[in-house]
Amino acid sequence: MSKSPLIEVKNLKQYFPIKTGLFKTEMLKAVDDVSFYINEGETLGLVGESGCGKTTVGRTLLRLYEPTAGEVLYEGTPVTDKNIFSMRKKMQMVFQDPYSSLDPRMTVEDIIGEPLDVHKLYSGKGERRDKILHLMELVGLNAEHATRYAHEFSGGQRQRIGIARALAVDPKFIVCDEPVSALDVSIQAQVINMFEELQEKLGVAYLFIAHDLLVVHHISKRIAVMYMGKIVETGTADDVNYNSIHPYTCSLMSAVPIPDPDFIRGRQRIVLEGDVPSPLHMPSGCPFRTRCKHACEKCAEAMPPLTDRGNGHMVACWVK
Amino acid sequence: MEKEYLLSVQDLHTSFFTDSGEVHAVNGVSFNLDPGEILGIVGESGSGKSVTAYSIMQILESTGKVVGGKILYKGDDLTKWSSKKLDKFRGKCVSIIFQDPMTSLNPVFTIGNQIEEAIKLHTDKKGKEASDRAAELLSLVGITDPEKRLRQYPYELSGGMRQRVMIAMALACEPDILIADEPTTALDVTIQAQILELIQELQKKIGMAVILVTHDLGVIAELCDNIIVMYGGRICERGTAREIFYNPKHEYTKGLLKSIPNVNNMKEKLIPIAGTPINILNLPKGCAFCARCENCMKICLDQVPVELSINENHKASCWMNVKEVFEAEGGKK
């Protein structure tokens, strides 16, 4: 490819030290050697079960955590401690919980205006106000809401405030960490549509982290599936959903509750045995082998690399 | 004589008495449950679905009260029962599993202790007999090495495992009805699949009736024979799963089905329901959904819609289905 992707993540590792005894500390490998890229104006969906490290990937990307190893490149420039302040003008985040991610003592105007203040993106009070009102309009909030406090809004509206705050610095890339999972079903569609419309209008790229596979499939162009800190399969949304290859992805897809009685009752579900192993005692080789029907000797020896199965559909499995 | 149902809820009204006044959480809900039936109650927060379930169990918070209607268990109105009689009823005739398996187990007692408690309370099994039964229940819900698990504390188990323990507790006395209040919402998809499979299997094996309360239409589609859709404390539509999903007749159900991603609308834009969820502190005079309904008519603002039979397996409460009203209002369809 001639042009470098907007975001490129190379061999990212994020280990957390966990005290397991009085003098003993073990490393919890939350993210273990993860690489992916996101093109301009594109959405990459990141799915996986709780504890698989998907949120940590998002946070490490924005240096909310200092990565243990690996690199994040923005348009080819490495994101480091030194340039993170200016990088955050280009990369932003929307959080899962619209109740705890907004300061209850700030008005909507101040919440959305804070990034503008931090990065000094206006020349006078009038311009600040204009920018805030423009952002509010962009996410579908009324101008008269500007002087209200977060608690006066419903979950969906709060999430809109959070999105307006992320958009304030005019970023090219937003990490969306489970942005709709705290919302009521009837509100989710409003917010999903808004994400899509904003992308069309502003050309912003998303890393869309969620556990609801139908939502992720709907919004994403490409999807990456994580299991215990590793990406096990990635490809176009349709490939990952309809032609899944990795046994974990297959069982994940077959377990998604689909709101269509005839379809779902005719479906063969692959129910996985057992639970996710403790991340402190990761199985050797492929982390999924303890629950995998196809596991063989080789799986215990080494982690399979991601190999291309055509059309950029990458799968990490020795057997399939 | 009228048919005697296993459970018959008739015109149930439940209110909470708070500082800001009486909150009408459930406003006239009626339904019947047959033995072995899986009934789904679906709705968003504030729809009254959980309060309906808690009313049946009579485990409402102290501010909540059933203010009208009857709940007949095998023909006997349990809202009039003494608390002593209710103690015998809960767990033995009807049990409930809650959404959050993390907080519904007592952290200071072992798993064995908590399962045996239910067994000792409702049967004359004691000591070894009770713990044998507890171990048997754990293997029934698919937990390996039950003897070891009985000695463990909740914190030693994973989320899916804890939900299995909750189910084992609920099944301890082989109740006629199992109420599952969002049983899988806190769990991951693959664990959710295990739990749903388990509920289905047990329902077939033991033949109990299940009331599944959830907001997840996918879970409902998978498991339920009959479905009740609730909004603003009222039932807006009820029917068999196929009728509700393929022939919805209430504007809320229609909107809900269009607003969720599904296998066949991946490339299309979702059509959201406008507005915000209902504030039950401030219920409208007419149809609860009128403020968000695209086809709202004058009558909808003033009068609560009557429940109309669409066919023998399907009823909906929407004025749009009442032909005379619809035409008189000059509505467009």
Side-chain angles (χ1 to χ4, degrees), chain A residues 2-304:
Chain A
S2 56
K3 203 168 160 267
S4 63
L6 184 71
I7 298 286
E8 202 173 357
V9 174
K10 284 185 182 165
N11 309 98
L12 193 69
K13 288 182 187 172
Q14 180 69 61
Y15 298 169
F16 296 110
I18 302 282
K19 273 209 158 94
T20 51
L22 195 52
F23 300 108
K24 224 168 92 189
T25 310
E26 280 183 65
M27 281 298 175
L28 187 145
K29 298 178 177 177
V31 175
D32 199 10
D33 205 4
V34 160
S35 305
F36 59 85
Y37 67 91
I38 301 170
N39 290 324
E40 222 179 298
E42 180 185 72
T43 304
L44 175 71
L46 190 58
V47 298
E49 298 182 276
S50 42
C52 74
K54 53 191 194 305
T55 296
T56 309
V57 167
R59 291 177 164 242
T60 309
L61 221 68
L62 292 175
R63 289 222 162 217
L64 293 175
Y65 304 134
E66 177 71 23
T68 310
E71 263 193 319
V72 178
L73 304 176
Y74 177 88
E75 285 181 333
T77 322
V79 178
T80 60
D81 259 359
K82 301 224 165 57
N83 66 11
I84 185 62
F85 184 77
S86 61
M87 277 297 177
R88 288 210 179 119
K89 261 192 282 188
K90 295 161 186 158
M91 304 157 70
Q92 278 291 321
M93 184 149 185
V94 174
F95 297 91
Q96 168 173 9
D97 185 359
Y99 293 86
S100 60
S101 59
L102 300 177
D103 190 331
R105 285 165 301 187
M106 286 166 85
T107 60
V108 171
E109 192 175 353
D110 289 334
I111 291 172
I112 302 174
E114 194 176 22
L116 298 173
D117 301 340
V118 169
H119 292 284
K120 303 188 178 59
L121 294 177
Y122 52 87
S123 48
K125 270 207 169 125
E127 196 188 342
R128 180 177 186 264
R129 176 127 185 110
D130 286 347
K131 278 197 166 167
I132 291 169
L133 291 180
H134 171 70
L135 285 161
M136 289 180 67
E137 193 192 320
L138 210 56
V139 296
L141 290 168
N142 288 332
E144 62 256 36
H145 291 161
T147 51
R148 295 199 191 165
Y149 291 88
H151 74 89
E152 296 173 66
F153 294 91
S154 65
Q157 283 172 313
R158 283 181 206 220
Q159 205 51 299
R160 287 171 195 266
I161 300 170
I163 296 164
R165 174 175 62 183
L167 288 172
V169 294
D170 199 11
K172 296 279 277 291
F173 172 63
I174 300 180
V175 175
C176 312
D177 187 8
E178 303 260 15
V180 298
S181 51
L183 306 177
D184 260 313
V185 189
S186 71
I187 302 302
Q188 285 190 0
Q190 292 179 6
V191 177
I192 293 169
N193 278 358
M194 188 176 54
F195 273 115
E196 290 176 343
E197 278 156 24
L198 289 171
Q199 186 163 58
E200 281 160 30
K201 227 182 271 175
L202 310 171
V204 54
Y206 301 127
L207 176 67
F208 199 90
I209 303 168
H211 67 273
D212 187 330
L213 291 138
L214 285 172
V215 168
V216 172
H217 186 189
H218 193 273
I219 202 166
S220 311
K221 193 174 163 217
R222 290 183 302 120
I223 291 180
V225 182
M226 279 185 81
Y227 186 78
M228 295 198 78
K230 293 188 166 79
I231 290 182
V232 294
E233 182 159 1
T234 168
T236 63
D238 286 348
D239 270 346
V240 171
N241 270 278
Y242 302 136
N243 310 319
S244 12
I245 294 175
H246 196 283
Y248 175 64
T249 319
C250 294
S251 64
L252 202 60
M253 294 306 164
S254 81
V256 181
I258 288 169
D260 186 335
D262 284 352
F263 179 87
I264 199 167
R265 287 171 198 201
R267 183 178 69 174
Q268 196 59 44
R269 198 164 39 192
I270 311 165
V271 175
L272 286 178
E273 305 270 312
D275 287 307
V276 183
S278 154
L280 277 177
H281 308 106
M282 282 243 246
S284 63
C286 173
F288 185 60
R289 69 178 170 88
T290 51
R291 301 171 79 192
C292 182
K293 264 193 254 160
H294 309 279
C296 64
E297 268 172 41
K298 200 170 182 190
C299 304
E301 281 161 18
M303 173 68 194

Side-chain angles (χ1 to χ4, degrees), chain B residues 29-260:
Chain B
V29 163
S30 308
F31 63 87
N32 301 315
L33 187 74
D34 282 321
E37 178 184 344
I38 304 188
L39 173 73
I41 303 183
V42 62
E44 51 193 47
S45 39
S47 65
K49 57 186 192 310
S50 291
V51 177
T52 304
Y54 295 171
S55 301
I56 296 170
M57 285 294 280
Q58 296 281 302
I59 48 168
L60 293 162
E61 277 174 53
S62 57
T63 51
K65 199 166 177 266
V66 174
V67 290
K70 291 179 190 164
I71 302 170
L72 304 179
Y73 172 75
K74 293 186 175 165
D76 198 359
D77 186 1
L78 61 86
T79 57
K80 301 206 167 60
W81 289 0
S82 65
S83 62
K84 222 172 174 177
K85 198 170 174 191
L86 281 168
D87 284 343
K88 292 225 171 79
F89 160 81
R90 292 190 205 105
K92 195 166 166 61
C93 308
V94 183
S95 9
I96 188 163
I97 46 179
F98 297 98
Q99 170 173 359
D100 192 354
M102 308 298 162
T103 53
S104 14
L105 289 170
N106 191 333
V108 300
F109 289 103
T110 61
I111 301 297
N113 243 316
Q114 299 185 51
I115 302 180
E116 283 164 34
E117 185 190 1
I119 300 170
K120 285 175 186 161
L121 204 64
H122 291 298
T123 64
D124 37 8
K125 289 199 176 76
K126 280 190 188 71
K128 182 81 174 68
E129 256 187 312
S131 66
D132 284 349
R133 171 74 181 141
E136 188 189 317
L137 284 163
L138 283 188
S139 39
L140 182 74
V141 296
I143 292 180
T144 49
D145 206 355
E147 273 80 22
K148 180 182 141 203
R149 297 294 179 196
L150 285 177
R151 290 191 302 271
Q152 289 186 319
Y153 289 89
Y155 78 89
E156 296 175 87
L157 307 183
S158 67
M161 205 90 96
R162 278 180 239 194
Q163 196 58 291
R164 282 168 194 268
V165 170
M166 286 295 298
I167 296 175
M169 276 165 74
L171 295 177
C173 302
E174 304 197 348
D176 300 322
I177 305 169
L178 175 71
I179 300 177
D181 184 19
E182 306 260 9
T184 57
T185 308
L187 306 175
D188 282 316
V189 204
T190 56
I191 308 297
Q192 165 171 293
Q194 292 174 356
I195 298 290
L196 294 180
E197 194 114 306
L198 176 70
I199 292 178
Q200 230 168 352
E201 222 174 78
L202 292 170
Q203 184 265 338
K204 281 195 195 112
K205 215 186 269 179
I206 306 175
M208 62 185 176
V210 178
I211 300 179
L212 182 68
V213 179
T214 180
H215 67 273
D216 191 330
L217 287 159
V219 171
I220 289 273
E222 185 158 0
L223 238 57
C224 299
D225 308 319
N226 293 306
I227 298 173
I228 288 175
V229 185
M230 284 188 72
Y231 191 82
R234 292 196 189 97
I235 293 178
C236 50
E237 187 161 10
R238 68 176 92 208
T240 57
R242 297 203 73 236
E243 282 289 331
I244 298 290
F245 278 93
Y246 301 129
N247 185 24
K249 285 290 179 202
H250 191 285
E251 292 302 300
Y252 174 62
T253 321
K254 286 184 206 169
L256 207 55
L257 289 170
K258 273 188 252 172
S259 71
I260 48 173

